[in-house]
Each structure stands twice: as C-alpha cells, then as structure tokens.
Amino acid sequence: MPLHFPGHSKKKEESAQTALTKLNSWFPTTKNPVIISAPMYLIANGTLAAEVSKAGGIGFVAAGFDFRPGSSQLTTLSSELSLARQALGLSDRPLTPLPAIGVGFILTHTISVPHFVDTVLPILIEHSPQAVWLFANDPDFEAAHSSDEGPAAKGTAKQIIEALHAAGFVVFFQVGTVKDARKAVADGADVIVAQGIDAGGHQVAKGSGIVSLVPEMRDMIDREFAGREVVVVAAGGVADGRGVVGALGLGAEGVVLGTRFIVATEAATPEFRRKLILETNDGGLNTVKSQFHDQINSTTIWHNVYDGRAVRGASYDDHAAGLPFEENHKKFKEAASSGDNSRTVTWAGTAVGLVKDQKPAGDIVRELREQAKERIKKIQVFAA
Ligand SMILES: Cc1cc2nc3c(=O)[nH]c(=O)nc-3n(C[C@H](O)[C@H](O)[C@H](O)COP(=O)(O)O)c2cc1C
C-alpha cells in the first residue's frame, strides 16, 4: 500500500530539525507543551478535535468499538471527520490531510476487531487524519490469536498496527500497566498513552497513578526497546496547568486530558452531564472506579481486567448500600424512561473538582499551555 499520509514517513525522516520533541516533529502544527484531547466516545466529536488542533494541540475524535460492516458508528465517524475538515477550513477536493487530528478506537469488541482492516482503514485513508489511538485489547482474544500469522491474525493489536503503519498513520496505544506497555511497544505502537487510575472512563481494574506509571514505563521502554523511537504521554487526573507540568516532570512528552474537555463548548455532552461535572468536587470521594457502572449500563464489551471511573450517583450509592442488582436495575430503567438523569452513569476522572468553567476547546488548550508556562517559571526557584 502506498504511503497515504506523510506523518509516519516524516517521523522516520527526522526532518524537523527545529522540533523540540518527537511529537513536534511528527505533528508539525503542535506547540509546547503538547496538549492532547482524549477520544471520548459520544463526547469527542470532529469539531472539538479540530479546535484543539487549531490551537496547537492534538485532537482525537472518538469512533467507538463497532467495526462490523454497516456499523452506524463508522457512518458517524465519516461525518465527524468531514466536520473536522470543515472546521479546519480545508478543502475536500482533493482531500488534504487533517493536521494533528486523530481517531480513537476501542478494541474490546472481539467480534468487531477482525473487521478493522477491511472497514475502518478505508475510512481513515479517505479522510486522512494524522494519528490513530487504540485502547484496550481483550487479553483472551490476543492470547488466542497472537501466534497466528497472515489472514488468521486478523484483529490482533499487532496486525492492526502493521496495517495502520503501512498506510502512514502514527499509532497511539493507551495502556494502564507496564506489562501492557511492553506488549503495545512490541506490537509496534509509536506513542504509549500511560493511563493512570485517576482517569475518567474505562481503564485497567488494577493499575496505578501516573506518578509512578509514567517514569516506570519510560525506563522499561528505554531499557528493553533501546533504539526504538517511542513517545510516552500521560493521561489521568490532569485538568489544569499544574497537572500538565507535573506530567512533564514525570517524563511525559505530552499530556492527555479527557474530563476537562467534557465541558468544552463543542463537546457533544448533554446539559445535565455538564452541570454534574461542573458541580462535582473532591473527585477521590465523589467519583468511583468500578465494574458496576458497566453492569448497570448493560455494557458487555469489556473484559474483566477493565473497569471505569464515573461520578458517584444514586445507582452506585444504592449498590454500595446493598440493594440487590435486579431491583437497582429496575429503578435505573424506570428513571431513564421518565427522563430522570440522577441514576445514569457520567464518566469522569478524579480531577473533576478542578473543572469549573465551560469554554471553547481552543481556549482550554491555550489556557493550559499558558498556565503550564507560568508554573514552570515559578518552580525555577527549585533549580537554583
Ligand atoms: C467521558 C469519557 C469517555 C471516554 N471514552 C474513551 C474512549 O472512547 N476511548 C478511549 O480510548 N478512552 C476513553 N476515555 C478515557 C480517556 O482516553 C482518558 O484516558 C481519560 O479521560 C484521561 O483522564 P482524565 O479524564 O482524568 O483527563 C474516556 C474518558 C471519559 C472521561
């Protein structure tokens, strides 16, 4: 397959002599420190991603998990990438590449992943985002197919990454443990997203915060994959410039934020969720990391090595107080059908208490960068 987008080949050329970091050279429109908006399913749309890109960050569109032929998630992805193109003011004849735009996919729907190369790749090639973000493969599926070769290997992380590289995309892989990072790098990932357990949404059930995760992953990669160009970025618990500087201090080359962008003006977030995010404080107390959220949502795509962090709500409180699941689920369904949102799951990270205002995504990116620079100046005193 011919190289479709210069991102990956540019990376190999190491052409951008002036770039301060590998991310700057792979994504020439980025400014430091590089802010990345997370692909958040049903929230991170094409317009949001485009505004992040325009402000010098990297914006990810969330594509979901269903790659079967005819999937409505893939139809939506095409429309969102067209909207991103419009927001960037780029021509659609010919289709020029979308700078610093990526697409995030969830790989736990094991009946979907074998379709990825046939159904997803053509959409990516047509719309030309620069990067692809993969998250959460199913360990049983990977174990069953890791020794397969050729067409039999369809849908393993390694095979998907190889196909993406052949088409010229930079591949991000989000992981929550050093063990999973080792596999993702061995499978070929270019950027490891070190996701700590403060993160909102799905994550490994047994993990650690970015404070230990980022440096241990970096050391492992430097030791075990010497000579490979692998970037590490941090995700989980960052919502302002102080967190950005903290993550850079840990050795991350860029910083991913999800919860902060839930309330970006362009996000597809319903009003009641915006209000809840803005009103919730003290995330350690008022968000909960649990598999209960998927159970009450009747979501079955996640292997039990994963759980998710969400705002603590009435459903979880009843569960914690011992209400039998069937009764709780009945209340959940009744509330949903009567328009009562108090029992629904709102994913958010522990940094939710730092999210106090809604503003355009581009302003969030610029503010984070300025706050980070101010912070770096303030802490210079510690280097004297
Ligand atoms: C509402 C919400 C939806 C998310 N959806 C996805 C998703 O579709 N794919 C994915 O890879 N990660 C998803 N995540 C996790 C993010 O990629 C990221 O790890 C997390 O938001 C970082 O932590 P923070 O929320 O504290 O900034 C989601 C997170 C949130 C809060």
Short mmCIF file of all heavy atoms in Angstrom, two decimals, residues 20-24 27 29-37 52-53 55-59 231-234 238 240-249 251-257 261 362 364-377:
data_model
loop_
_atom_site.label_atom_id
_atom_site.label_comp_id
_atom_site.label_asym_id
_atom_site.label_seq_id
_atom_site.Cartn_x
_atom_site.Cartn_y
_atom_site.Cartn_z
N LEU A 20 11.36 20.57 19.07
CA LEU A 20 11.94 20.34 20.39
C LEU A 20 11.71 18.91 20.85
O LEU A 20 12.48 18.37 21.62
CB LEU A 20 11.31 21.31 21.40
CG LEU A 20 11.63 22.78 21.14
CD1 LEU A 20 10.83 23.67 22.06
CD2 LEU A 20 13.11 23.02 21.34
N THR A 21 10.63 18.33 20.41
CA THR A 21 10.31 16.97 20.84
C THR A 21 9.90 16.16 19.62
O THR A 21 9.62 16.71 18.56
CB THR A 21 9.12 16.97 21.81
OG1 THR A 21 7.95 17.31 21.08
CG2 THR A 21 9.32 17.92 22.97
N LYS A 22 9.82 14.84 19.82
CA LYS A 22 9.39 13.99 18.71
C LYS A 22 7.95 14.31 18.32
O LYS A 22 7.61 14.30 17.15
CB LYS A 22 9.49 12.52 19.11
CG LYS A 22 10.91 12.04 19.19
CD LYS A 22 10.96 10.53 19.19
CE LYS A 22 12.31 10.03 19.64
NZ LYS A 22 12.36 9.76 21.09
N LEU A 23 7.12 14.63 19.31
CA LEU A 23 5.73 14.96 18.97
C LEU A 23 5.68 16.17 18.05
O LEU A 23 4.91 16.21 17.11
CB LEU A 23 4.90 15.24 20.22
CG LEU A 23 4.37 14.03 21.00
CD1 LEU A 23 3.49 14.50 22.15
CD2 LEU A 23 3.59 13.06 20.11
N ASN A 24 6.54 17.18 18.31
CA ASN A 24 6.55 18.37 17.44
C ASN A 24 6.98 17.99 16.02
O ASN A 24 6.49 18.56 15.06
CB ASN A 24 7.54 19.44 17.94
CG ASN A 24 7.20 19.99 19.30
OD1 ASN A 24 8.08 20.25 20.10
ND2 ASN A 24 5.92 20.16 19.59
N PHE A 27 4.07 15.91 14.49
CA PHE A 27 2.87 16.75 14.33
C PHE A 27 3.34 18.21 14.27
O PHE A 27 3.37 18.91 15.28
CB PHE A 27 1.90 16.54 15.50
CG PHE A 27 1.45 15.11 15.64
CD1 PHE A 27 2.12 14.24 16.49
CD2 PHE A 27 0.37 14.63 14.91
CE1 PHE A 27 1.72 12.91 16.61
CE2 PHE A 27 -0.03 13.31 15.03
CZ PHE A 27 0.65 12.45 15.87
N THR A 29 2.23 21.00 13.51
CA THR A 29 1.40 22.14 13.94
C THR A 29 1.34 22.28 15.47
O THR A 29 0.74 23.23 15.98
CB THR A 29 -0.05 22.00 13.41
OG1 THR A 29 -0.57 20.74 13.88
CG2 THR A 29 -0.11 22.07 11.90
N THR A 30 1.94 21.35 16.21
CA THR A 30 1.80 21.40 17.67
C THR A 30 2.73 22.42 18.31
O THR A 30 3.81 22.70 17.82
CB THR A 30 2.06 20.02 18.32
OG1 THR A 30 3.35 19.54 17.89
CG2 THR A 30 0.99 19.02 17.95
N LYS A 31 2.24 22.95 19.44
CA LYS A 31 3.04 23.88 20.25
C LYS A 31 3.27 23.23 21.61
O LYS A 31 2.43 22.46 22.09
CB LYS A 31 2.27 25.19 20.44
CG LYS A 31 2.08 25.94 19.13
CD LYS A 31 1.31 27.23 19.37
CE LYS A 31 1.13 27.97 18.05
NZ LYS A 31 -0.03 28.83 18.07
N ASN A 32 4.36 23.62 22.26
CA ASN A 32 4.70 23.03 23.56
C ASN A 32 4.15 23.82 24.72
O ASN A 32 4.10 25.04 24.64
CB ASN A 32 6.22 22.90 23.70
CG ASN A 32 6.73 21.74 22.86
OD1 ASN A 32 6.15 20.66 22.86
ND2 ASN A 32 7.81 21.98 22.13
N PRO A 33 3.81 23.15 25.81
CA PRO A 33 3.72 21.71 25.95
C PRO A 33 2.51 21.17 25.18
O PRO A 33 1.47 21.82 25.12
CB PRO A 33 3.54 21.48 27.45
CG PRO A 33 3.11 22.78 28.02
CD PRO A 33 3.54 23.86 27.10
N VAL A 34 2.69 20.00 24.59
CA VAL A 34 1.65 19.44 23.70
C VAL A 34 0.46 18.92 24.52
O VAL A 34 0.60 18.03 25.36
CB VAL A 34 2.23 18.33 22.81
CG1 VAL A 34 1.12 17.72 21.95
CG2 VAL A 34 3.35 18.87 21.92
N ILE A 35 -0.69 19.53 24.25
CA ILE A 35 -1.94 19.15 24.92
C ILE A 35 -2.74 18.27 23.95
O ILE A 35 -2.91 18.61 22.78
CB ILE A 35 -2.78 20.41 25.27
CG1 ILE A 35 -1.97 21.38 26.15
CG2 ILE A 35 -4.12 20.03 25.90
CD1 ILE A 35 -1.55 20.83 27.49
N ILE A 36 -3.23 17.16 24.47
CA ILE A 36 -3.95 16.19 23.63
C ILE A 36 -5.34 15.98 24.22
O ILE A 36 -5.47 15.68 25.42
CB ILE A 36 -3.18 14.85 23.61
CG1 ILE A 36 -1.75 15.08 23.10
CG2 ILE A 36 -3.91 13.80 22.77
CD1 ILE A 36 -0.78 13.94 23.38
N SER A 37 -6.38 16.18 23.41
CA SER A 37 -7.73 15.90 23.91
C SER A 37 -8.06 14.44 23.63
O SER A 37 -7.86 13.94 22.52
CB SER A 37 -8.77 16.83 23.26
OG SER A 37 -8.81 16.64 21.86
N VAL A 52 -9.04 21.85 18.90
CA VAL A 52 -7.82 21.52 19.66
C VAL A 52 -6.62 21.60 18.73
O VAL A 52 -5.57 22.17 19.06
CB VAL A 52 -7.95 20.11 20.31
CG1 VAL A 52 -6.62 19.65 20.88
CG2 VAL A 52 -9.02 20.14 21.40
N SER A 53 -6.76 21.04 17.53
CA SER A 53 -5.67 21.05 16.56
C SER A 53 -5.30 22.50 16.18
O SER A 53 -4.13 22.87 16.15
CB SER A 53 -6.08 20.25 15.32
OG SER A 53 -5.28 20.58 14.22
N ALA A 55 -5.55 25.09 17.87
CA ALA A 55 -4.90 25.79 18.99
C ALA A 55 -3.50 25.23 19.27
O ALA A 55 -2.87 25.61 20.25
CB ALA A 55 -5.78 25.69 20.23
N GLY A 56 -3.03 24.30 18.45
CA GLY A 56 -1.68 23.78 18.64
C GLY A 56 -1.60 22.48 19.41
O GLY A 56 -0.51 22.02 19.78
N GLY A 57 -2.77 21.88 19.69
CA GLY A 57 -2.78 20.59 20.36
C GLY A 57 -3.01 19.46 19.36
O GLY A 57 -2.92 19.67 18.14
N ILE A 58 -3.27 18.27 19.88
CA ILE A 58 -3.66 17.14 19.03
C ILE A 58 -5.08 16.74 19.47
O ILE A 58 -5.30 16.47 20.66
CB ILE A 58 -2.69 15.94 19.18
CG1 ILE A 58 -1.25 16.37 18.90
CG2 ILE A 58 -3.11 14.79 18.25
CD1 ILE A 58 -0.20 15.28 19.17
N GLY A 59 -6.01 16.74 18.54
CA GLY A 59 -7.40 16.46 18.89
C GLY A 59 -7.83 15.09 18.39
O GLY A 59 -7.64 14.77 17.21
N VAL A 231 7.34 7.45 22.03
CA VAL A 231 6.97 8.60 22.87
C VAL A 231 6.02 8.12 23.97
O VAL A 231 5.19 7.23 23.73
CB VAL A 231 6.27 9.67 21.98
CG1 VAL A 231 5.58 10.73 22.82
CG2 VAL A 231 7.29 10.31 21.04
N VAL A 232 6.17 8.70 25.16
CA VAL A 232 5.21 8.41 26.24
C VAL A 232 4.46 9.70 26.57
O VAL A 232 5.09 10.75 26.75
CB VAL A 232 5.92 7.88 27.51
CG1 VAL A 232 4.91 7.69 28.64
CG2 VAL A 232 6.64 6.56 27.22
N VAL A 233 3.14 9.63 26.59
CA VAL A 233 2.33 10.77 27.05
C VAL A 233 1.50 10.28 28.23
O VAL A 233 1.27 9.08 28.39
CB VAL A 233 1.42 11.34 25.92
CG1 VAL A 233 2.26 11.85 24.76
CG2 VAL A 233 0.41 10.31 25.42
N ALA A 234 1.08 11.24 29.09
CA ALA A 234 0.39 10.86 30.33
C ALA A 234 -1.09 11.20 30.25
O ALA A 234 -1.47 12.22 29.68
CB ALA A 234 1.01 11.61 31.50
N VAL A 238 -5.32 14.96 35.13
CA VAL A 238 -4.79 16.30 34.82
C VAL A 238 -5.94 17.17 34.32
O VAL A 238 -6.67 16.78 33.41
CB VAL A 238 -3.69 16.21 33.73
CG1 VAL A 238 -3.21 17.62 33.36
CG2 VAL A 238 -2.53 15.35 34.22
N ASP A 240 -5.49 20.98 34.82
CA ASP A 240 -5.01 22.37 34.69
C ASP A 240 -3.50 22.37 34.46
O ASP A 240 -2.87 21.31 34.39
CB ASP A 240 -5.42 23.22 35.90
CG ASP A 240 -4.76 22.77 37.20
OD1 ASP A 240 -3.78 21.99 37.15
OD2 ASP A 240 -5.21 23.22 38.27
N GLY A 241 -2.94 23.60 34.37
CA GLY A 241 -1.53 23.73 34.02
C GLY A 241 -0.60 23.08 35.04
O GLY A 241 0.49 22.61 34.70
N ARG A 242 -1.03 23.06 36.31
CA ARG A 242 -0.18 22.43 37.33
C ARG A 242 -0.02 20.95 37.04
O ARG A 242 1.07 20.38 37.14
CB ARG A 242 -0.78 22.65 38.72
CG ARG A 242 -0.76 24.10 39.14
CD ARG A 242 -1.60 24.33 40.38
NE ARG A 242 -3.03 24.14 40.13
CZ ARG A 242 -3.99 24.39 41.01
NH1 ARG A 242 -3.68 24.84 42.22
NH2 ARG A 242 -5.26 24.21 40.70
N GLY A 243 -1.13 20.31 36.67
CA GLY A 243 -1.07 18.88 36.33
C GLY A 243 -0.24 18.63 35.08
O GLY A 243 0.48 17.63 34.99
N VAL A 244 -0.33 19.56 34.12
CA VAL A 244 0.45 19.42 32.88
C VAL A 244 1.94 19.41 33.23
O VAL A 244 2.71 18.53 32.80
CB VAL A 244 0.14 20.57 31.89
CG1 VAL A 244 1.11 20.56 30.71
CG2 VAL A 244 -1.31 20.47 31.39
N VAL A 245 2.36 20.38 34.08
CA VAL A 245 3.78 20.46 34.45
C VAL A 245 4.19 19.21 35.24
O VAL A 245 5.28 18.66 35.05
CB VAL A 245 4.06 21.75 35.25
CG1 VAL A 245 5.50 21.78 35.75
CG2 VAL A 245 3.77 22.96 34.38
N GLY A 246 3.29 18.75 36.10
CA GLY A 246 3.59 17.52 36.85
C GLY A 246 3.87 16.36 35.92
O GLY A 246 4.86 15.63 36.08
N ALA A 247 3.02 16.22 34.89
CA ALA A 247 3.19 15.10 33.95
C ALA A 247 4.49 15.24 33.16
O ALA A 247 5.20 14.25 32.94
CB ALA A 247 1.99 15.04 33.00
N LEU A 248 4.82 16.48 32.78
CA LEU A 248 6.09 16.69 32.06
C LEU A 248 7.26 16.33 32.97
O LEU A 248 8.25 15.72 32.55
CB LEU A 248 6.22 18.14 31.59
CG LEU A 248 5.16 18.64 30.61
CD1 LEU A 248 5.37 20.14 30.33
CD2 LEU A 248 5.19 17.86 29.29
N GLY A 249 7.13 16.69 34.24
CA GLY A 249 8.17 16.37 35.22
C GLY A 249 8.38 14.88 35.37
O GLY A 249 9.49 14.41 35.66
N GLY A 251 8.27 12.82 33.00
CA GLY A 251 8.93 12.30 31.80
C GLY A 251 8.01 12.15 30.61
O GLY A 251 8.43 11.62 29.57
N ALA A 252 6.75 12.62 30.75
CA ALA A 252 5.85 12.54 29.59
C ALA A 252 6.22 13.63 28.59
O ALA A 252 6.67 14.71 28.98
CB ALA A 252 4.41 12.74 30.04
N GLU A 253 6.01 13.34 27.30
CA GLU A 253 6.33 14.32 26.27
C GLU A 253 5.09 15.14 25.87
O GLU A 253 5.19 16.16 25.20
CB GLU A 253 6.90 13.61 25.04
CG GLU A 253 7.69 14.54 24.16
CD GLU A 253 8.26 13.88 22.94
OE1 GLU A 253 9.34 13.26 23.05
OE2 GLU A 253 7.64 13.99 21.87
N GLY A 254 3.93 14.68 26.28
CA GLY A 254 2.68 15.40 26.02
C GLY A 254 1.68 14.94 27.07
O GLY A 254 1.91 13.96 27.78
N VAL A 255 0.57 15.68 27.18
CA VAL A 255 -0.38 15.39 28.23
C VAL A 255 -1.79 15.27 27.66
O VAL A 255 -2.24 16.15 26.92
CB VAL A 255 -0.34 16.48 29.33
CG1 VAL A 255 -1.20 16.07 30.51
CG2 VAL A 255 1.09 16.73 29.77
N VAL A 256 -2.46 14.19 28.04
CA VAL A 256 -3.82 13.91 27.56
C VAL A 256 -4.82 14.33 28.63
O VAL A 256 -4.65 13.99 29.80
CB VAL A 256 -4.00 12.39 27.29
CG1 VAL A 256 -5.43 12.07 26.90
CG2 VAL A 256 -3.00 11.90 26.24
N LEU A 257 -5.85 15.04 28.20
CA LEU A 257 -6.93 15.39 29.13
C LEU A 257 -8.26 14.94 28.54
O LEU A 257 -8.54 15.17 27.35
CB LEU A 257 -6.99 16.90 29.38
CG LEU A 257 -5.78 17.53 30.07
CD1 LEU A 257 -4.76 18.00 29.04
CD2 LEU A 257 -6.20 18.68 30.97
N PHE A 261 -12.16 18.29 28.92
CA PHE A 261 -12.79 18.61 27.64
C PHE A 261 -14.26 18.17 27.56
O PHE A 261 -14.94 18.47 26.60
CB PHE A 261 -11.99 17.99 26.48
CG PHE A 261 -10.71 18.74 26.18
CD1 PHE A 261 -9.49 18.27 26.65
CD2 PHE A 261 -10.73 19.91 25.44
CE1 PHE A 261 -8.31 18.96 26.39
CE2 PHE A 261 -9.56 20.61 25.17
CZ PHE A 261 -8.34 20.14 25.65
N GLY A 362 -10.42 25.34 22.04
CA GLY A 362 -9.17 26.04 21.71
C GLY A 362 -8.70 26.90 22.89
O GLY A 362 -7.51 26.98 23.18
N ILE A 364 -9.35 26.28 26.02
CA ILE A 364 -8.85 25.36 27.06
C ILE A 364 -7.38 25.02 26.77
O ILE A 364 -6.53 25.06 27.66
CB ILE A 364 -9.71 24.07 27.13
CG1 ILE A 364 -11.14 24.41 27.58
CG2 ILE A 364 -9.07 23.03 28.05
CD1 ILE A 364 -12.10 23.21 27.63
N VAL A 365 -7.09 24.69 25.51
CA VAL A 365 -5.72 24.31 25.14
C VAL A 365 -4.76 25.47 25.43
O VAL A 365 -3.71 25.29 26.05
CB VAL A 365 -5.64 23.90 23.65
CG1 VAL A 365 -4.20 23.68 23.21
CG2 VAL A 365 -6.48 22.65 23.40
N ARG A 366 -5.14 26.69 24.97
CA ARG A 366 -4.25 27.84 25.16
C ARG A 366 -4.07 28.15 26.64
O ARG A 366 -2.97 28.45 27.09
CB ARG A 366 -4.80 29.07 24.41
CG ARG A 366 -4.53 29.00 22.89
CD ARG A 366 -5.04 30.24 22.18
NE ARG A 366 -6.49 30.21 22.06
CZ ARG A 366 -7.15 29.68 21.02
NH1 ARG A 366 -6.47 29.20 19.99
NH2 ARG A 366 -8.46 29.67 20.99
N GLU A 367 -5.17 28.05 27.40
CA GLU A 367 -5.08 28.33 28.84
C GLU A 367 -4.16 27.32 29.54
O GLU A 367 -3.33 27.69 30.37
CB GLU A 367 -6.48 28.28 29.45
CG GLU A 367 -6.50 28.58 30.93
CD GLU A 367 -7.91 28.53 31.50
OE1 GLU A 367 -8.44 27.42 31.72
OE2 GLU A 367 -8.48 29.61 31.73
N LEU A 368 -4.30 26.03 29.18
CA LEU A 368 -3.45 25.01 29.80
C LEU A 368 -1.98 25.30 29.52
O LEU A 368 -1.13 25.19 30.41
CB LEU A 368 -3.81 23.62 29.26
CG LEU A 368 -5.14 23.03 29.75
CD1 LEU A 368 -5.56 21.86 28.86
CD2 LEU A 368 -5.01 22.56 31.20
N ARG A 369 -1.70 25.69 28.27
CA ARG A 369 -0.30 25.96 27.89
C ARG A 369 0.25 27.16 28.68
O ARG A 369 1.36 27.11 29.20
CB ARG A 369 -0.25 26.25 26.39
CG ARG A 369 0.50 25.19 25.64
CD ARG A 369 0.76 25.46 24.19
NE ARG A 369 0.12 26.56 23.57
CZ ARG A 369 -0.77 26.46 22.57
NH1 ARG A 369 -1.12 25.27 22.12
NH2 ARG A 369 -1.30 27.52 22.03
N GLU A 370 -0.57 28.22 28.76
CA GLU A 370 -0.10 29.42 29.48
C GLU A 370 0.07 29.13 30.96
O GLU A 370 1.07 29.53 31.57
CB GLU A 370 -1.07 30.59 29.25
CG GLU A 370 -1.02 31.16 27.84
CD GLU A 370 0.41 31.25 27.28
OE1 GLU A 370 1.27 31.87 27.96
OE2 GLU A 370 0.70 30.71 26.20
N GLN A 371 -0.92 28.43 31.54
CA GLN A 371 -0.81 28.08 32.97
C GLN A 371 0.46 27.26 33.21
O GLN A 371 1.17 27.45 34.20
CB GLN A 371 -2.02 27.24 33.41
CG GLN A 371 -3.31 28.01 33.56
CD GLN A 371 -4.48 27.07 33.88
OE1 GLN A 371 -4.39 25.85 33.72
NE2 GLN A 371 -5.58 27.64 34.35
N ALA A 372 0.73 26.33 32.30
CA ALA A 372 1.90 25.45 32.47
C ALA A 372 3.18 26.29 32.43
O ALA A 372 4.08 26.11 33.25
CB ALA A 372 1.92 24.37 31.39
N LYS A 373 3.24 27.22 31.49
CA LYS A 373 4.45 28.04 31.36
C LYS A 373 4.67 28.88 32.61
O LYS A 373 5.79 29.02 33.10
CB LYS A 373 4.37 28.92 30.10
CG LYS A 373 4.61 28.09 28.85
CD LYS A 373 4.54 28.91 27.59
CE LYS A 373 4.74 27.99 26.41
NZ LYS A 373 4.30 28.55 25.16
N GLU A 374 3.57 29.47 33.12
CA GLU A 374 3.66 30.25 34.36
C GLU A 374 4.19 29.39 35.50
O GLU A 374 5.03 29.82 36.29
CB GLU A 374 2.27 30.80 34.74
CG GLU A 374 1.84 32.01 33.93
CD GLU A 374 2.87 33.14 34.01
OE1 GLU A 374 3.25 33.51 35.13
OE2 GLU A 374 3.32 33.62 32.95
N ARG A 375 3.67 28.20 35.56
CA ARG A 375 4.06 27.27 36.64
C ARG A 375 5.54 26.92 36.55
O ARG A 375 6.26 26.88 37.55
CB ARG A 375 3.20 26.01 36.53
CG ARG A 375 3.26 25.11 37.72
CD ARG A 375 2.44 25.71 38.86
NE ARG A 375 2.74 25.05 40.11
CZ ARG A 375 2.46 25.58 41.30
NH1 ARG A 375 1.89 26.77 41.39
NH2 ARG A 375 2.76 24.94 42.40
N ILE A 376 5.97 26.67 35.31
CA ILE A 376 7.38 26.31 35.11
C ILE A 376 8.28 27.47 35.57
O ILE A 376 9.29 27.25 36.23
CB ILE A 376 7.65 25.92 33.63
CG1 ILE A 376 6.98 24.58 33.32
CG2 ILE A 376 9.15 25.84 33.33
CD1 ILE A 376 6.91 24.22 31.84
N LYS A 377 7.86 28.69 35.26
CA LYS A 377 8.65 29.86 35.70
C LYS A 377 8.71 29.89 37.23
O LYS A 377 9.76 30.12 37.81
CB LYS A 377 8.00 31.16 35.20
CG LYS A 377 8.40 31.51 33.78
CD LYS A 377 7.82 32.88 33.41
CE LYS A 377 7.48 32.93 31.95
NZ LYS A 377 6.32 33.75 31.63
#
